[in-house]
Amino acid sequence: MSDSGGPDVTQELRLPWDDDPDDLYEHAPCGYLTTLPDGTIVKVNQTFLSWTGYARGELIGRRRFRDLLSAGGQMFHETHYAPLLRMQDDVHEIAFDVVCSDGRELPTLVNSRLGRSESGHPRAIRTTVFNATDRRRYENELLTARRTAEESEQRVRVLQQIVADLAAAPTEAEVAEAVLRAPEPAFGAVSTSIYLIDSERDEIMAVASTDPTTGNWTDMPRSSSRAVARVAERGDLHVVGSLAEAEQHFPDLAETMRRSGRNTVVLLPLTTGPADEQGLAETLGVLAFSFTEERRLTDNELRVVRLLGQQAGQALDRARLYDEERRREDRITFLAETTRVLDEKHRLLPRARRLVERLVPAIADWADVRLQVNALVLQEHAGAPAPDAGLLADRIATVAASGAPAFPSETDKLDCAVLPLTARGRVLGTLALRTVDSRPGDPTERIFLTDLAYRAGLALENARLYEQERQIARTLQRSLLASDLPRGDSRFVVETHYQAAAQDLEVGGDWFDAFLITVDKLAVVVGDVVGRGIEAATTMGQLRSAVRALASASEGPARLIEGLDRFVDRVEAARMATVAYAEIDLTTGDLTYACAGHLPPLLHEPTGGPAYLMQGRSAPLGSRAGDTKRTEHRQRLRAGSRLLLYTDGLIERRARSIEKGFEVLAREFARRRDAPLPGLTAGLADTLVGRDHADDVCLLCLTLGTEERIERSIGADRVQIALLRADLRGWLDAHEVDPVCRDAVLLACSEAVANAIEHGYRDDPFGMIDVTATVTADSVEVRVSDHGVWQGPVADVSRGRGLQIIRQSMDQVMFDRSDGTTVTMRRKREDA
């Protein structure tokens, strides 16, 4: 019996500490795993098996813990989890997605502890795995709530922007335009209309609408019985919540709503103050916006709508009272904004194009910018109609020579202003424009246009200097990259591409290299040094040299990476650099590779799809993770295989997961499987990155065998001719074309490209020239194409022999000028 007199039930209880310890372990509320230091699973509890669907025999001794993770989790395991565990012996609350036996992904939180022997050597890793499904769901709910709050904040920001636009709008029309833009982004309206009151004519004028077909879009007397007039007379907000309500109070509005499919209309008077201030508030117009569904506005939304009406009314009042003053303020704002907008474009032609786009139609209906760059005249224009070409040319010549602006007068036949674009005391070109509300002789207008031209001149000169410095920086970057890649070997072809960050003048740390270790062994490598600037570039060069030196002495990629670990102990700037290194036996096709913290290479064999090489992975160089042993992997490549090495700038984006980046790269690489190797890496960069990217991009593609067809696209720059000639010479030598035929083809091709630059792109330094060459058993055919407008030769006796040289060098020459100019040339091989 118990002390209280009742039955003693404690004898029936089984205390928790009396439970079977094995049962506690197997059915714990979390998963337990015990692994060896290399990650091999040696013990796992039933809870983890139940969650994931695996059988115990499928895991113990057969799988590593990282093998159960998603692709992104495996990368995080290598770069963060494993190094942290080795350094501090435990990690806490690491989020991983575990791939279950049926392929689904289980969100988990992982805690691990590394056990060591008495001598400090790693013995085993004990890991607890917690099911984070509910937590992930809760986080998603929080994100939904945050998104709702952000939408409300977005509405406030839109209205704040509209209020700012109202404050800067100098005329009634611009105020109306600003008000017209508010309801759609702020409240989700589908159409908006605005009416203004003309007190002198005692009318309400229809000023603007996002969809005039949805309303009774005509002017009306203020005494009209229409809904707009009645709301304007009353001076207070009115919401027509349904079609039935409209039929009862506003028959004209009901007909319009029925015809346009609207079910709710908001009629907002634009007043100079609150509606309850009788005698003080004046109604200046009405804003009407509608919804397709029956919409009930909340009290908060109604307060915002009323505030919008007051702000718009006050802006209209200010526009009427202070039109000229606000016009001057708007000019100042326009100048500042134009300067900011021009600074967004760093290159010369885009900045000139942005200038004319900024002027037309904001202040001008036609504008023309002409710049003198060395011997070229670059021009950008917008708007219409253009003035008389002869009069304009004479005026531009006068202004460019004198450096003084020329403004139109009342009797001037040329109805536009021409202003010099000057910077640092030098005339760069001219700006001609015809303003929308031109007032000849107005001194304020002349001061404004002069200031505009001066700011534009400085912006354009800065763009010219930027391009000059950018070209110097790019030249420096490319000079630091490997330029002596092996070529002319029929057993392989290497194609590379380097693209620097679009808006950064500093050199970066991405690099590539390819070289022959022996006659029959080729090495390829891509790496990424942390940081930017001269130090990163210098470190890049040191690493490249170290790789070449170690390749001849080391026994495979793993030993080479270990040698680089020792190297970075002496070169601190190289610490945490990543490297993907591979060696290819050209006689057997065996590939041996290792990745030190770098993204996995992508392999596409002649059959099947592309696959990432996920073996042979370890931490970045000098990561001090405690494990200095490096791994490598070997597999045999079939003839025709293509191997792609790349840096993280190609696929990593803040707005998407790395798995998505891997997927996009594999898809694009597969799509180009049968494309010629030349241009392949550049094409991948254009598709995945574009030309306005914040990170460097470096690619190296290796294929086995020599391409039968060579295709190149070069800029209209004579410097490119020598580069093309060297590339074409190596390709011809690889196909064992006899020297006589080879030299004739090189000479004819060089002359054809020079003609395209001189005659097709004389006024366009940014033109592109396409060169295609094909070799057969008996001949070599070359095609050179441009898309310029052919112009005759200039008066220069030293030129004019290009076509004669081409005809004398080649057996057949054909011209096609249907789209630009295409020259097709064929030369018979002497050994045929």
Side-chain angles (χ1 to χ4, degrees), residues 605-675:
E605 297 194 274
T607 58
Y612 289 99
L613 304 182
M614 300 296 294
Q615 306 299 323
R617 304 196 58 80
S618 53
L621 299 180
S623 60
R624 295 171 177 161
D627 186 2
T628 59
K629 185 178 180 180
R630 299 291 185 169
T631 62
E632 62 184 37
H633 187 72
R634 175 176 296 180
Q635 69 181 77
R636 177 157 296 184
L637 300 183
R638 290 184 290 170
S641 298
R642 284 184 174 177
L643 180 69
L644 180 69
L645 282 67
Y646 53 94
T647 55
D648 55 6
L650 185 66
I651 64 170
E652 288 189 354
R653 302 290 182 275
R654 291 184 178 180
R656 74 182 183 197
S657 65
I658 191 170
E659 287 89 348
K660 186 64 175 179
F662 284 139
E663 177 186 337
V664 173
L665 174 58
R667 183 175 65 246
E668 292 299 322
F669 194 49
R671 191 168 64 85
R672 292 169 169 81
R673 177 63 185 86
D674 297 324

Side-chain angles (χ1 to χ4, degrees), residues 333-523:
T333 303
F334 179 83
L335 289 174
E337 183 67 13
T338 299
T339 301
R340 184 192 66 80
V341 168
L342 292 181
D343 286 342
E344 293 176 354
K345 296 293 184 181
H346 297 277
R347 305 189 67 179
L348 184 57
L349 274 179
R351 187 168 286 191
R353 188 175 304 115
R354 177 63 64 87
L355 174 61
V356 297
E357 291 173 351
R358 174 73 180 161
L359 297 178
V360 179
I363 66 168
D365 56 19
W366 172 86
D368 175 273
V369 172
R370 302 190 188 191
L371 302 172
Q372 186 75 34
V373 180
N374 298 326
L376 296 175
V377 176
L378 305 181
Q379 180 182 10
E380 288 291 340
H381 59 86
D388 182 88
L391 295 175
L392 179 61
D394 292 340
R395 188 68 54 85
I396 287 176
T398 302
V399 170
S402 65
F407 299 99
S409 62
E410 293 287 354
T411 59
D412 195 348
K413 294 182 179 180
L414 186 66
D415 59 342
C416 66
V418 180
L419 305 106
L421 297 171
T422 59
R424 300 171 180 87
R426 187 170 67 91
V427 178
L428 309 174
T430 58
L431 167 63
L433 74 163
R434 183 175 54 240
T435 55
V436 175
D437 52 349
S438 179
R439 294 180 291 177
D442 184 358
T444 304
E445 185 76 4
R446 292 189 175 190
I447 292 173
F448 164 71
L449 293 178
T450 302
D451 193 6
L452 173 64
Y454 174 72
R455 295 183 182 221
L458 284 178
L460 294 170
E461 172 66 1
N462 289 339
R464 187 190 68 81
L465 293 175
Y466 169 83
E467 286 207 8
Q468 179 178 321
E469 294 177 6
R470 185 172 182 269
Q471 183 61 35
I472 294 173
R474 297 299 179 260
T475 303
L476 176 59
Q477 285 176 318
R478 296 187 184 282
S479 68
L480 292 171
L481 294 173
S483 58
D484 56 345
L485 301 180
R487 302 190 184 278
D489 193 321
S490 60
R491 295 174 296 179
F492 67 90
V493 177
V494 175
E495 175 78 1
T496 61
H497 178 73
Y498 179 83
Q499 182 173 315
Q503 299 180 2
D504 198 344
L505 287 175
E506 286 192 310
V507 292
D510 292 17
W511 58 282
F512 60 77
D513 199 2
F515 55 92
L516 286 168
I517 303 175
T518 66
V519 175
D520 295 320
K521 181 175 289 187
L522 173 69

Side-chain angles (χ1 to χ4, degrees), residues 9-54:
V9 298
T10 60
Q11 300 301 320
E12 302 299 326
L13 295 177
R14 182 178 182 182
L15 300 178
W17 49 81
D18 292 335
D19 286 349
D20 182 5
D22 290 338
D23 184 69
L24 285 174
Y25 172 81
E26 289 293 338
H27 299 94
C30 63
Y32 280 101
L33 296 97
T34 303
T35 67
L36 299 178
D38 66 353
T40 302
I41 299 173
V42 295
K43 191 173 183 181
V44 60
N45 73 342
Q46 184 59 44
T47 300
F48 183 84
L49 297 175
S50 300
W51 286 351
T52 59
Y54 289 107

Side-chain angles (χ1 to χ4, degrees), residues 504-830:
D504 198 344
L505 287 175
E506 286 192 310
V507 292
D510 292 17
W511 58 282
F512 60 77
D513 199 2
F515 55 92
L516 286 168
I517 303 175
T518 66
V519 175
D520 295 320
K521 181 175 289 187
L522 173 69
V524 293
V525 59
V526 165
D528 189 356
V529 175
V530 177
R532 300 187 64 79
I534 297 299
E535 183 179 14
T538 304
T539 304
M540 175 188 77
Q542 291 175 313
L543 270 179
R544 187 183 67 196
S545 299
V547 168
R548 289 204 172 202
L550 291 170
S552 59
S554 65
E555 299 178 357
R559 304 293 81 77
L560 182 140
I561 299 298
E562 291 173 1
L564 290 179
D565 283 328
R566 295 188 294 273
F567 170 78
V568 301
D569 287 338
R570 300 189 300 273
V571 182
E572 185 65 27
R575 191 170 300 279
M576 299 308 294
T578 64
V579 173
Y581 175 79
E583 294 179 356
I584 301 92
D585 189 324
L586 298 175
T587 59
T588 65
D590 285 342
L591 165 71
T592 309
Y593 67 92
C595 293
H598 205 83
L599 297 177
L602 181 58
L603 175 65
H604 201 324
E605 297 194 274
T607 58
Y612 289 99
L613 304 182
M614 300 296 294
Q615 306 299 323
R617 304 196 58 80
S618 53
L621 299 180
S623 60
R624 295 171 177 161
D627 186 2
T628 59
K629 185 178 180 180
R630 299 291 185 169
T631 62
E632 62 184 37
H633 187 72
R634 175 176 296 180
Q635 69 181 77
R636 177 157 296 184
L637 300 183
R638 290 184 290 170
S641 298
R642 284 184 174 177
L643 180 69
L644 180 69
L645 282 67
Y646 53 94
T647 55
D648 55 6
L650 185 66
I651 64 170
E652 288 189 354
R653 302 290 182 275
R654 291 184 178 180
R656 74 182 183 197
S657 65
I658 191 170
E659 287 89 348
K660 186 64 175 179
F662 284 139
E663 177 186 337
V664 173
L665 174 58
R667 183 175 65 246
E668 292 299 322
F669 194 49
R671 191 168 64 85
R672 292 169 169 81
R673 177 63 185 86
D674 297 324
L677 187 62
L680 178 99
T681 52
L684 282 173
D686 282 341
T687 302
L688 273 70
V689 176
R691 294 298 179 183
D692 190 16
H693 187 50
D695 196 5
D696 294 349
V697 176
C698 186
L699 300 94
L700 182 149
C701 186
L702 167 71
T703 189
L704 301 181
T706 303
E707 52 191 328
E708 296 298 320
R709 175 186 178 91
I710 187 171
E711 297 180 353
R712 297 290 185 267
S713 293
I714 65 173
D717 185 350
R718 291 186 177 275
V719 175
Q720 299 288 329
I721 298 179
L723 301 177
L724 173 66
R725 188 164 51 240
D727 196 8
L728 188 57
R729 178 187 295 274
W731 179 76
L732 292 170
D733 287 341
H735 282 284
E736 300 180 349
V737 176
D738 61 278
V740 175
C741 179
R742 178 199 64 197
D743 293 343
V745 169
L746 292 175
L747 177 61
C749 182
S750 299
E751 287 295 329
V753 173
N755 281 346
I757 295 173
E758 179 177 354
H759 299 292
Y761 294 123
R762 182 179 302 168
D763 298 328
D764 183 6
F766 303 104
M768 297 298 295
I769 301 169
D770 299 323
V771 179
T772 304
T774 307
V775 63
T776 63
D778 59 351
S779 65
V780 177
E781 181 178 293
V782 180
R783 186 171 68 251
V784 178
S785 303
D786 67 73
H787 302 284
V789 179
W790 187 267
Q791 301 183 50
V794 297
D796 185 352
V797 296
S798 64
R799 301 293 304 159
R801 299 183 56 204
L803 296 181
Q804 180 181 355
I805 292 175
I806 293 174
R807 290 192 173 97
Q808 290 177 348
S809 302
M810 306 299 283
D811 297 326
Q812 289 180 296
V813 180
M814 294 175 289
F815 293 89
D816 180 3
R817 291 196 171 95
S818 58
D819 179 18
T821 301
T822 299
V823 184
T824 303
M825 305 168 286
R826 185 176 292 107
R827 169 81 185 205
K828 184 178 180 181
R829 297 174 61 169
E830 295 295 326

Side-chain angles (χ1 to χ4, degrees), residues 34-97:
T34 303
T35 67
L36 299 178
D38 66 353
T40 302
I41 299 173
V42 295
K43 191 173 183 181
V44 60
N45 73 342
Q46 184 59 44
T47 300
F48 183 84
L49 297 175
S50 300
W51 286 351
T52 59
Y54 289 107
R56 198 180 303 270
E58 293 180 278
L59 301 183
I60 294 179
R62 296 177 177 271
R63 303 287 290 274
R64 294 175 298 173
F65 175 61
R66 66 178 294 275
D67 297 335
L68 304 180
L69 305 179
S70 63
Q74 292 181 16
M75 294 293 297
F76 191 83
H77 184 282
E78 296 174 359
T79 58
H80 294 76
Y81 171 87
L84 282 174
L85 188 60
R86 294 192 189 99
M87 286 190 290
Q88 59 192 30
D89 290 349
D90 58 4
V91 293
H92 302 284
E93 294 189 348
I94 302 297
F96 283 124
D97 285 343

